[in-house]
Amino acid sequence: MKIHTTQNLSSQTVSQPTNITLPREIRYTKYSDDMHSSEPDTSHDSVSFKGKKEIVDKAVKAGKKKFVERVADWNIWDKMFKSGSFSKLLEITNKQEVLINSGTALVICTLLRPATIMALPGDKNKKDCAYAAAHSVSSGVWGFIVPLIFIKPLAKAYNHVIDEAGKYLRESTIKKRWPHLNISSIKNPDGTIKPMKEWKDYKNNDFIRDIKDVKKVAKPKHISEVSDKTLQKFFTDIDLSKTKNISPNQWVRTDGKKASIDLQNVFIAVKDVDKGKVSYYPLKYVKEDILKEVYPNLDIASTKAVNGERLHFDKWHTKDGKPFEFDMNNIFISDWAESRLGIPLVTGETTKLASGEVKDVCYQKNNMDGELFTPGTPITGEMLDAASTNAVVDKFGGWLPDLIVSYPRATATIAILPFILKNVFGIEKSKKPEQKPPVNLSETERKAVS
């Protein structure tokens, strides 16, 4: 039975999140060398919890990186893709697709195509080449002017309606578009509409209109693989001289006491042996059913404080009341200084789409306490379904004006450009030489020719 599917965020709503807890088989065993065969990553793949599962207590050996992954590690690309300018460019491109496409065509038609035409070798009439190049430039300019004058304002108006949805759309329409929105939060006590940045969702978190704006963390690395600088960051007063070639369970502080790490900073990894896939969960927020299955001797009640929050594993107990010895080899650390590959934050919570597909719940980037690994608003199946619908509607809203004017624009191009080229620029396409009619020979003349 397929249980967990890591959420694909190219596609993602909610009255309340839909949690699905189904039986899974996960067993706890020590890490073995046969797990080194591949580098599993479930940030974008399905994860089935049917069959044997193992808690990973050592980093899975990474294979050779693909070229794309090596390029992604370059600082120059990392800085560019995370810059505000790049984000702004993506936003503009998304809102003005027709104009961006026309601008791209303008560059091709006014620069690349004319240069190619004029560079063609051969004895072809240069006047015809000049006409073709001029026609290309004119069509490119014309193809950009029409969207600029007629389509951009309409697309801008559509985007304005969405940006100011509280003023222009009915509450039922707003709720349908963003089912995670707390509709009562959009108005002031006097009935006036608040700015969208002040809206709240059903979790009373800041409302994020982009449903697929998922919270990501750096792909966790095993504590044996992180740098000394990172160890000092996460382990207070750790004695680095006593971390080499020994088990993390034996690490100590400079005062000789056992080294300890904040629960907030611990990730565990669970592997599907059959599929070779690994999911990374923050220990502070991973769902109890997963803990029960990977640590079968653990008394789950001992992991919770009176307020329900998870206690540090130093306070956990086994089912027979003994102190639970948490294996420090199970610790993975997520830090952007160690890994530039981001994966969605998941905790083992699942949700169901309208199609019946079950996915891991990811979270939006709007947790209130600011902790790095704290889940924000769950992105549920209802939200995912709404996001897919919104994408289609927004695409249609942006392209509809272009579809309406495309035929008149093409007709005008055919009719107007030759006239402009001839009467404004004095360029006219050469006429084909008239062919002389065939000469009718008499029978005597045909015999003479043959």
Side-chain angles (χ1 to χ4, degrees):
M1 183 182 299
K2 187 173 181 179
I3 304 302
H4 279 214
T5 310
T6 298
Q7 198 163 338
N8 181 346
L9 291 167
S10 303
S11 63
Q12 299 203 28
T13 113
V14 252
S15 304
Q16 293 294 331
T18 306
N19 299 332
I20 299 175
T21 303
L22 297 174
R24 292 166 295 177
E25 297 177 6
I26 299 181
R27 63 186 178 88
Y28 172 68
T29 61
K30 287 293 183 181
Y31 179 80
S32 57
D33 290 337
D34 65 345
M35 294 174 69
H36 285 280
S37 59
S38 63
E39 181 184 17
D41 177 13
T42 62
S43 57
H44 302 290
D45 296 308
S46 296
V47 183
S48 172
F49 279 83
K50 178 182 179 181
K52 297 180 180 179
K53 300 296 179 296
E54 293 180 340
I55 187 80
V56 179
D57 61 5
K58 189 175 180 181
V60 180
K61 184 182 294 183
K64 291 184 178 180
K65 282 190 174 183
K66 299 177 182 177
F67 174 75
V68 173
E69 293 172 330
R70 294 199 303 271
V71 171
D73 282 340
W74 293 354
N75 286 335
I76 184 173
W77 295 108
D78 187 59
K79 291 179 181 179
M80 183 183 75
F81 292 141
K82 291 182 179 179
S83 67
S85 300
F86 185 74
S87 298
K88 188 65 177 178
L89 177 62
L90 290 180
E91 182 181 351
I92 294 174
T93 302
N94 184 56
K95 290 185 175 182
Q96 293 289 349
E97 287 187 72
V98 175
L99 192 63
I100 294 297
N101 287 340
S102 300
T104 303
L106 177 66
V107 173
I108 295 174
C109 291
T110 57
L111 297 177
L112 302 180
R113 189 180 178 194
T116 303
I117 292 173
M118 297 305 296
L120 289 175
D123 299 329
K124 187 177 180 179
N125 191 325
K126 291 298 180 183
K127 185 177 179 181
D128 286 346
C129 287
Y131 178 86
H135 190 281
S136 174
V137 173
S138 301
S139 62
V141 173
W142 177 257
F144 183 75
I145 289 176
V146 172
L148 184 64
I149 295 177
F150 298 103
I151 299 176
K152 181 184 177 181
L154 295 176
K156 186 176 181 180
Y158 176 82
N159 292 324
H160 178 71
V161 169
I162 300 301
D163 293 340
E164 301 290 340
K167 296 180 180 179
Y168 300 105
L169 301 180
R170 290 178 297 184
E171 290 188 1
S172 58
T173 303
I174 296 174
K175 188 63 178 178
K176 186 175 181 180
R177 182 178 180 86
W178 298 302
H180 57 303
L181 172 65
N182 178 0
I183 199 68
S184 64
S185 70
I186 73 174
K187 292 182 179 180
N188 293 305
D190 61 1
T192 57
I193 301 297
K194 296 179 182 178
M196 190 176 289
K197 63 182 181 181
E198 296 181 12
W199 293 3
K200 300 293 182 181
D201 63 21
Y202 75 99
K203 286 283 191 179
N204 203 37
N205 291 332
D206 291 338
F207 168 71
I208 296 181
R209 57 183 282 183
D210 182 0
I211 292 174
K212 296 181 290 184
D213 189 11
V214 60
K215 184 168 190 171
K216 292 187 176 183
V217 297
K219 184 177 179 181
K221 292 177 68 174
H222 191 260
I223 53 175
S224 65
E225 291 193 331
V226 299
S227 65
D228 288 348
K229 185 176 181 180
T230 299
L231 288 179
Q232 289 177 317
K233 178 179 177 181
F234 290 98
F235 287 84
T236 305
D237 297 328
I238 189 169
D239 187 347
L240 294 176
S241 66
K242 296 182 179 179
T243 61
K244 310 301 179 185
N245 302 319
I246 64 173
S247 168
N249 292 303
Q250 299 174 322
W251 289 0
V252 295
R253 303 187 314 191
T254 53
D255 60 5
K257 294 182 179 180
K258 183 178 179 180
S260 181
I261 184 173
D262 190 337
L263 185 70
Q264 168 70 26
N265 300 315
V266 177
F267 278 74
I268 59 171
V270 178
K271 179 176 181 178
D272 183 320
V273 176
D274 296 331
K275 294 179 178 285
K277 302 296 183 181
V278 170
S279 293
Y280 299 95
Y281 302 111
L283 189 57
K284 185 174 181 179
Y285 300 104
V286 63
K287 296 305 174 183
E288 288 185 359
D289 62 324
I290 293 178
L291 283 181
K292 289 178 182 177
E293 291 161 333
V294 297
Y295 299 120
N297 293 325
L298 175 64
D299 178 9
I300 292 298
S302 70
T303 67
K304 296 182 291 186
V306 177
N307 60 3
E309 291 188 0
R310 183 153 294 145
L311 296 171
H312 194 276
F313 49 77
D314 286 344
K315 295 180 170 42
W316 296 1
H317 291 85
T318 60
K319 291 180 179 179
D320 57 6
K322 296 179 181 179
F324 181 81
E325 295 294 334
F326 184 82
D327 191 347
M328 296 276 282
N329 283 297
N330 294 170
I331 294 178
F332 285 73
I333 291 177
S334 172
D335 188 75
W336 290 108
E338 295 290 340
S339 175
R340 296 189 181 278
L341 176 62
I343 62 173
L345 179 67
V346 294
T347 64
E349 186 177 2
T350 59
T351 188
K352 192 172 184 179
L353 276 65
S355 63
E357 183 180 3
V358 177
K359 288 181 174 290
D360 270 344
V361 169
C362 293
Y363 302 88
Q364 293 188 320
K365 298 184 294 186
N366 58 359
N367 53 293
M368 301 299 290
D369 56 19
E371 291 185 12
L372 181 60
F373 306 128
T374 306
T377 299
I379 301 174
T380 66
E382 188 184 356
M383 293 169 68
L384 288 169
D385 292 331
S388 299
T389 301
N390 294 344
V392 174
V393 173
D394 291 346
K395 188 73 68 176
F396 186 73
W399 283 93
L400 180 60
D402 185 58
L403 296 176
I404 294 174
V405 303
S406 59
Y407 180 76
R409 179 177 60 184
T411 304
T413 300
I414 296 173
I416 294 175
L417 289 189
F419 176 83
I420 295 177
L421 290 173
K422 177 180 179 181
N423 295 281
V424 177
F425 297 101
I427 302 176
E428 188 175 6
K429 188 175 183 180
S430 299
K431 295 181 180 180
K432 294 182 179 180
E434 296 183 2
Q435 294 183 351
K436 295 181 180 180
V439 179
N440 295 322
L441 301 178
S442 64
E443 184 176 348
T444 303
E445 289 173 326
R446 286 197 299 272
K447 289 181 179 180
V449 171
S450 60

